[in-house]
């Protein structure tokens, strides 16, 4: 229903910055929230950040709060993740996710999202 394409991943250095982009297409007329999750090798997928579409309210995992910023561009149906002060432990595959409007207000749980991007690799060297 909603197609998501991530870009902007690559190799960064500790203390540096990267910006990820996620462009959405398809049935985007009723978006409740969009989010970023990440998964490192041998680890489970974890919540990174989310933004509610109507209110622009933002949510962050404690480990990235103060370093990462999520934002949106409604005209382009695009969500961004600005990653500053990168750490080696930020190394992971980052996934963009889309949540359609529903009776659930949950945004930090992966199962709440019905559409996912293919993922983009972020590697942070020390």
């Amino acid at each position: 229903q909603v197609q998501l394409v991530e870009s902007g991943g690559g190799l960064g250095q500790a203390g540096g910055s990267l910006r990820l982009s996620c462009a959405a297409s398809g049935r985007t007329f009723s978006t409740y929230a969009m989010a970023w999750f990440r998964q490192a090798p041998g680890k489970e997928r974890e919540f990174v950040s989310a933004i509610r579409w109507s209110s622009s309210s933002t949510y962050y995992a404690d480990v990235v709060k103060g370093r990462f910023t999520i934002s949106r561009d409604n005209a382009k149906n695009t969500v961004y993740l600005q990653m500053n002060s990168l750490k080696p432990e930020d190394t992971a595959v980052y996934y963009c996710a889309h949540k359609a409007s529903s009776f659930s207000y949950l945004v930090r749980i992966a199962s709440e999202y019905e559409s996912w991007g293919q993922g983009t690799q972020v590697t942070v060297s020390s």
Side-chain angles (χ1 to χ4, degrees):
Q1 302 85 359
V2 176
Q3 293 76 48
L4 305 174
V5 180
E6 300 115 328
S7 62
L11 178 64
Q13 60 181 358
S17 299
L18 287 172
R19 189 178 76 159
L20 306 183
S21 299
C22 175
S25 61
R27 300 181 181 180
T28 60
F29 61 90
S30 186
T31 298
Y32 181 77
M34 293 185 68
W36 292 95
F37 290 77
R38 68 186 185 186
Q39 187 167 26
K43 305 294 183 181
E44 63 183 5
R45 187 170 298 187
E46 67 174 347
F47 172 79
V48 177
S49 184
I51 183 168
R52 285 187 58 186
W53 219 248
S54 61
S55 67
S56 296
S57 297
T58 57
Y59 308 82
Y60 297 94
D62 289 341
V63 293
V64 306
K65 188 172 295 184
R67 300 189 298 120
F68 292 8
T69 303
I70 191 170
S71 62
R72 71 181 187 189
D73 185 333
N74 289 345
K76 298 181 178 180
N77 289 321
T78 299
V79 64
Y80 305 94
L81 185 68
Q82 179 67 46
M83 305 185 295
N84 297 328
S85 302
L86 286 168
K87 302 176 180 180
E89 50 263 45
D90 294 321
T91 296
V93 176
Y94 284 70
Y95 297 91
C96 179
H98 174 274
K99 176 180 172 66
S101 295
S102 70
F103 295 105
S104 173
Y105 299 100
L106 301 175
V107 296
R108 298 175 181 266
I109 302 176
S111 61
E112 292 292 314
Y113 295 84
E114 83 285 346
S115 299
W116 293 80
Q118 82 287 350
T120 184
Q121 176 71 48
V122 171
T123 302
V124 182
S125 64
S126 60

